[in-house]
Amino acid sequence: MAGFPDVATVLRGNRLLRELDDRQMAELVEIGRLQKLAADAPVFSKGDPGSCLYAILRGQIAIHTSSVDGKVMLLNILDAGDVLGEIALIDGKPRSAGATAIRPTELFRVDRSDFIPFLERHPPLCIRMMAVLCERLRWVSDNIEDAIFHDVPRRLARRLLLLAESYGQPTAEGGIRITQSVSQEGLANMLGVTREIVNKSLKALRKADAITYTKGFIVLTDVELIRRMAGDDG
């Protein structure tokens, strides 16, 4: 494992695995293996067998899906400590989405043939996994609701708030700088719309002084306005 970060330390940052005791964590680390990927390398494709679970040790992974006519939608961006592939791992059915390394990435992989017996030996982990899967289902439901009932400006505002929650850094002026570089094409893929529509919506936000750009990164300069646009009363 030379050259990799401490696997147990990274895994403890995940809400699914953080409550494992030292013995259980050592057992999990023992049944897994390490894997390195170059930028743009696929982790798995939509429709592949759900044969393993991955935890990200370093790097970033894009989760995406595509239609039969080749349209791609970016569903999520995962960072170190995140786990992917757990849904297909449990039911053994084909992957519901694809995953690709955004940058050079180091993964910890556990095969289904080893992980299912591990769950059977540790029932409390099954309960936590159920909670994680329910959370994932609610996230999917929210995205479907967004696509059906909300217009693009509101969906964009909601996505910017999610990015700020995951990658936000407060600015001296009271705004939030999104430290993850996201292109207009990337935002369009997240929302399932064209880049031109996203460009128009971003221009409207800049004109309203709700956002600006600093060295290529989006800064939310009027967070309250964006929250109102997103319909977020919190």
Side-chain angles (χ1 to χ4, degrees):
M1 296 188 181
F4 283 85
D6 181 72
V7 176
T9 299
V10 175
L11 295 183
R12 288 201 185 281
N14 182 265
R15 66 184 302 269
L16 173 64
L17 305 171
R18 66 181 55 157
E19 295 182 26
L20 293 179
D21 61 31
D22 291 342
R23 181 181 59 82
Q24 293 166 341
M25 182 61 74
E27 182 183 347
L28 179 63
V29 172
E30 184 65 26
I31 64 175
R33 58 190 176 91
L34 302 174
Q35 182 175 344
K36 287 187 176 183
L37 293 174
D40 299 322
V43 182
F44 52 76
S45 299
K46 182 178 180 180
D48 283 353
S51 57
C52 58
L53 169 147
Y54 294 94
I56 304 172
L57 303 181
R58 285 180 182 155
Q60 286 183 318
I61 298 291
I63 306 299
H64 48 80
T65 188
S66 58
S67 63
V68 293
D69 59 356
K71 293 181 180 178
V72 177
M73 182 173 185
L74 180 61
L75 300 176
N76 206 359
I77 297 174
L78 303 181
D79 294 288
D82 287 331
V83 169
L84 61 151
E86 66 272 30
I87 294 177
L89 181 78
I90 294 301
D91 62 17
K93 293 182 178 180
R95 304 284 189 187
S96 58
T100 302
I102 297 176
R103 58 186 65 178
T105 297
E106 299 167 355
L107 301 171
F108 176 73
R109 168 177 172 162
V110 181
D111 290 334
R112 186 173 192 269
S113 58
D114 296 313
F115 191 72
I116 297 300
F118 176 77
L119 285 181
E120 292 172 344
R121 292 192 295 271
H122 305 292
L125 185 59
C126 297
I127 303 300
R128 288 198 293 279
M129 179 162 266
M130 288 172 59
V132 170
L133 295 179
C134 288
E135 184 179 272
R136 185 68 55 83
L137 181 61
R138 291 178 186 275
W139 179 83
V140 171
S141 178
D142 286 345
N143 275 272
I144 293 174
E145 182 178 316
D146 262 358
I148 294 176
F149 297 116
H150 300 154
D151 57 22
V152 172
R154 179 172 181 178
R155 289 161 59 194
L156 176 60
R158 288 167 64 91
R159 178 59 63 172
L160 291 174
L161 290 175
L162 284 172
L163 289 169
E165 182 179 343
S166 298
Y167 307 105
Q169 183 180 73
T171 67
E173 296 77 20
I176 300 177
R177 178 176 180 265
I178 298 174
T179 59
Q180 170 66 35
S181 178
V182 183
S183 66
Q184 291 186 11
E185 183 177 359
L187 285 171
N189 287 338
M190 289 179 182
L191 301 177
V193 298
T194 65
R195 179 184 177 278
E196 289 73 21
I197 291 176
V198 167
N199 178 269
K200 182 178 179 181
S201 297
L202 288 172
K203 283 183 177 178
L205 288 174
R206 294 187 71 175
K207 187 175 181 179
D209 294 324
I211 68 167
T212 188
Y213 287 88
T214 301
K215 297 181 179 180
F217 293 91
I218 298 174
V219 179
L220 310 189
T221 51
D222 192 336
V223 179
E224 291 306 316
L225 174 59
I226 294 175
R227 283 178 177 159
R228 291 197 297 272
M229 291 179 63
D232 182 1
D233 295 330

